[in-house]
Amino acid sequence: MSVTQQQVLDCLAKVMSPRGVPLINANVLSAITVTDGKVFFSINVDAAEARAWESVRAQAENAVRAIPGVSVAMIALTAERKAGGGAAPAPRPAGGVQPASAHRHPHPPGAQSPMARQAEIPGIAAVIAVASGKGGVGKSTTALNLALGLRDLGLRVGLLDADIYGPSVPRLTGIREKPQLNDDKKMVPLVRFGLSIMSIGFLVEEDTAMIWRGPMVMSAITQMLRDVAWGTLDVLVVDMPPGTGDAQLTLAQNVPLKGAVIISTPQDLSLIDARRGLAMFKKVNVPVLGIVENMSYFQCPHCGTRSDIFGHGGARHEAEKLGVPFLGEVPLHIAIRTASDSGNPVVESEPDGPHAAIYRAIGSKVREQLQGVIAAA
């Protein structure tokens, strides 16, 4: 059954704002996107009223989900402070730094820390993030092959593609199906290579531009964590978007991450960004499981000559300098690239090859650090 935008508007007309005005007349709705039974939009309000609107957002989401034919509803509450609101800031001294009295502690006494919202995902022993400070370093390929390496070590593994703006997992796994809903209205992850897999890319077309603001990204990640029937897993590997923004903070604030794996190339520029990512996870008290040096070197498949295209050893030195484990080196090799492009990752397509052995060795080091958590589950 095809769902139309008008059906969504008719449904939202029955949801009242905190002031008793129908939601569609409250001048707070963003553009509504309806694609193949999937509905996305945001409610944009002033930050001072955000708490009163949260129940409205929940009512709207429940109402939209009840429309026949709707499979997914992602509704975010966007809160912004109006320009000119609040007291004027104290003047800055000539040096540009505000006086000590102007600096506010991020969590005043008695205020709840953002980390207080953390809650375990039932059935999942450990959630780990695979992250990078910048794009283009092979993070998604590494995340998938790491998940497969952990699978080969006898663990029950899931993979969540949280890279909202550039989901790669559908292409890397060759999955074209759409997730279904179970009786509890939760999405059922797709299973491929023995992994339970979920990606925002399963819900939108590959060429669809995800022009979403931070709250929409946060809402989508939260739903893919909480509204998916993951079942029983030893490890859920989360492929994060590059950088240190809303997606990373959302994950850290919602789920007690058991660790993060940082992906970098040996190149100085990549290492600088990896250092930022490492610092961010430490600030939110997420253990860093280690650094992987991807595209570490190129070995000619014809003559065997090795070339350090991006330099070599930079990630290992960075790990030693920062006091975190170095997990291993993954070469720049055509077999890894072609296997990824074909949707048949190298750990699955060449399980006895040297590259699969590298990913399994990295997985073994990760498993060792999670052993207590997994054994206790």
Side-chain angles (χ1 to χ4, degrees):
M1 182 182 298
S2 179
V3 180
T4 66
Q5 189 179 77
Q6 188 57 52
Q7 282 179 287
V8 176
L9 289 171
D10 292 343
C11 168
L12 295 177
K14 301 173 185 176
V15 178
M16 297 294 145
S17 77
R19 293 188 175 89
V21 178
L23 194 55
I24 61 172
N25 298 328
N27 198 31
V28 294
L29 295 180
S30 71
I32 297 173
T33 301
V34 182
T35 307
D36 296 331
K38 296 174 284 291
V39 180
F40 307 97
F41 64 89
S42 61
I43 301 173
N44 311 303
V45 302
D46 181 57
E49 301 176 343
R51 182 166 296 184
W53 278 89
E54 176 51 38
S55 62
V56 177
R57 186 208 66 80
Q59 291 173 40
E61 188 167 271
N62 290 334
V64 171
R65 284 181 176 175
I67 299 173
V70 169
S71 57
V72 176
M74 288 187 180
I75 302 170
L77 180 63
T78 304
E80 297 181 353
R81 297 205 176 276
K82 291 181 179 178
R92 294 189 179 187
V97 179
Q98 291 187 346
S101 60
H103 289 256
R104 299 176 61 190
H105 193 279
H107 307 302
Q112 189 181 51
S113 164
M115 298 306 164
R117 297 197 300 266
Q118 289 181 337
E120 301 279 358
I121 301 175
I124 300 180
V127 180
I128 65 172
V130 177
S132 64
K134 67 191 298 292
V137 298
K139 171 183 54 59
S140 296
T141 298
T142 305
L144 174 56
N145 283 291
L146 169 61
L148 291 169
L150 291 168
R151 175 208 64 181
D152 287 351
L153 295 170
L155 300 181
R156 296 162 296 184
V157 185
L159 176 65
L160 170 58
D161 182 3
D163 193 348
I164 300 296
Y165 296 118
S168 302
V169 166
R171 174 62 63 92
L172 294 174
T173 58
I175 295 176
R176 298 291 179 268
E177 301 96 308
K178 304 294 183 185
Q180 303 298 313
L181 296 180
N182 65 11
D183 293 339
D184 296 324
K185 297 294 185 181
K186 287 195 171 187
M187 289 182 285
V188 179
L190 298 174
V191 177
R192 184 67 54 93
F193 315 127
L195 304 176
S196 297
I197 304 173
M198 180 57 64
S199 169
I200 193 69
F202 298 155
L203 307 177
V204 297
E205 298 304 320
E206 190 174 53
D207 57 355
T208 299
M210 305 295 282
I211 310 173
W212 287 1
R213 303 177 72 177
M216 198 69 192
V217 172
M218 294 157 68
S219 178
I221 291 176
T222 300
Q223 287 203 19
M224 288 195 295
L225 284 167
R226 303 287 177 192
D227 293 344
V228 171
W230 288 108
T232 302
L233 299 175
D234 295 308
V235 183
L236 176 62
V237 177
V238 183
D239 177 20
M240 300 298 297
T244 54
D246 289 329
Q248 289 79 1
L249 290 174
T250 295
L251 189 65
Q253 290 175 0
N254 276 276
V255 180
L257 288 172
K258 298 304 186 286
V261 175
I262 307 295
I263 312 300
S264 179
T265 68
Q267 194 176 15
D268 288 344
L269 186 60
S270 179
L271 289 168
I272 291 170
D273 292 316
R275 198 176 301 137
R276 292 192 185 104
L278 229 154
M280 184 212 70
F281 282 113
K282 286 189 173 181
K283 280 186 178 180
V284 294
N285 299 317
V286 173
V288 176
L289 300 173
I291 299 177
V292 174
E293 183 171 278
N294 199 32
M295 308 180 198
S296 183
Y297 56 88
F298 171 73
Q299 192 159 14
C300 177
H302 304 293
C303 66
T305 301
R306 172 171 166 157
S307 301
D308 296 332
I309 297 175
F310 300 114
H312 180 256
R316 181 188 293 273
H317 296 149
E318 195 68 26
E320 292 172 353
K321 176 182 172 182
L322 297 172
V324 299
F326 180 68
L327 298 177
E329 302 174 349
V330 180
L332 178 65
H333 198 280
I334 192 169
I336 298 175
R337 195 273 300 167
T338 54
S340 298
D341 286 351
S342 68
N344 197 18
V346 71
V347 173
E348 179 71 17
S349 59
E350 299 180 22
D352 298 322
H355 305 118
I358 291 172
Y359 286 116
R360 278 194 291 269
I362 293 171
S364 180
K365 292 178 182 178
V366 169
R367 183 186 64 173
E368 286 174 10
Q369 298 184 67
L370 299 173
Q371 195 63 50
V373 176
I374 295 171

